[in-house]
Amino acid sequence: MNIAIFASGNGSNFENIVREQREAEDSSLGDVKLLVVDQVDAYVIKRAKQLDIPYVVFDIALFKTKQAYEKAVAIMLTAYEIDLIVLAGYMRLIGSDLLTAYPQRILNIHPAYLPAFPGKQGVKDAFDAQVSETGVTVHIVDEGMDSGPILDQKKVNILPTDTLETLETRIHQVERELYPQVIRAYIQKIKE
Ligand code: GRF
């Protein structure tokens, strides 16, 4: 199962998935063949270089339309024979062309217990709302914002002593556990 990871920034999930894959004794976590980045200065590019994973940077500003941008991305995905797209901090909605090309084959991780707190600031929104718990969700991507079918999710308590930073750290720890597990289970399901 050939995987392309899409990312826009830091890339800790990207690195974690690649490392877990390399540690796995079998191919159950697939094979990350390509990193797609939409920000020229994203830190995730450094990680890809260190890990020796091929990457492409597509600057959407250089394309006339989002459709043209996604068409270029799709050509690259075809060239790398990608079967599954894994979004990991990719800060852009997926358009209809990619969704059609990869039906039920695009996964996303969101740092909140969906449907609560969708959007770009899931951790901060939950923290600011002063709720007692939030979480992490992995879902299939559809045309909406963090709205596709949920594959799995895990709760994270918000402690009275938490700052936004400590909460973010715990959420990221949960992400690093949950995402590889869900990807592995999803690949298994596809293969059945
Ligand atoms: C994660 O919190 C993920 O849930 C969200 O964006 C963040 C990406 O972190 N979609 P990283 O780039 O993988 O470190």
Side-chain angles (χ1 to χ4, degrees), residues 31 112 125:
D31 196 359
D125 290 346

Side-chain angles (χ1 to χ4, degrees), residues 58-83:
F58 287 104
D59 181 355
I60 200 166
L62 302 178
F63 294 86
K64 278 196 178 142
T65 60
K66 182 172 173 179
Q67 221 176 358
Y69 159 82
E70 285 205 343
K71 209 167 187 177
V73 172
I75 288 169
M76 200 54 87
L77 298 178
T78 305
Y80 277 84
E81 300 181 336
I82 298 301
D83 307 301

Side-chain angles (χ1 to χ4, degrees), residues 43-57:
Y43 186 72
V44 67
I45 295 169
K46 285 202 178 112
R47 298 186 195 259
K49 285 181 185 164
Q50 275 161 8
L51 292 162
D52 212 12
I53 297 283
Y55 66 91
V56 275
V57 185

Side-chain angles (χ1 to χ4, degrees), residues 13-55:
N13 281 285
F14 161 75
E15 176 161 352
N16 180 54
I17 293 165
V18 171
R19 289 197 186 281
E20 289 245 342
Q21 231 170 34
R22 288 181 179 172
E23 277 167 25
E25 283 165 9
D26 53 22
S27 60
S28 62
L29 196 45
D31 196 359
V32 177
K33 293 281 189 197
L34 181 68
L35 169 73
V36 175
V37 189
D38 67 339
Q39 300 294 329
V40 288
D41 54 358
Y43 186 72
V44 67
I45 295 169
K46 285 202 178 112
R47 298 186 195 259
K49 285 181 185 164
Q50 275 161 8
L51 292 162
D52 212 12
I53 297 283
Y55 66 91

Side-chain angles (χ1 to χ4, degrees), residues 97-109:
D97 288 344
L98 271 183
L99 283 169
T100 307
Y102 286 88
Q104 312 289 307
R105 292 289 182 276
I106 309 178
L107 307 185
N108 182 42
I109 188 159

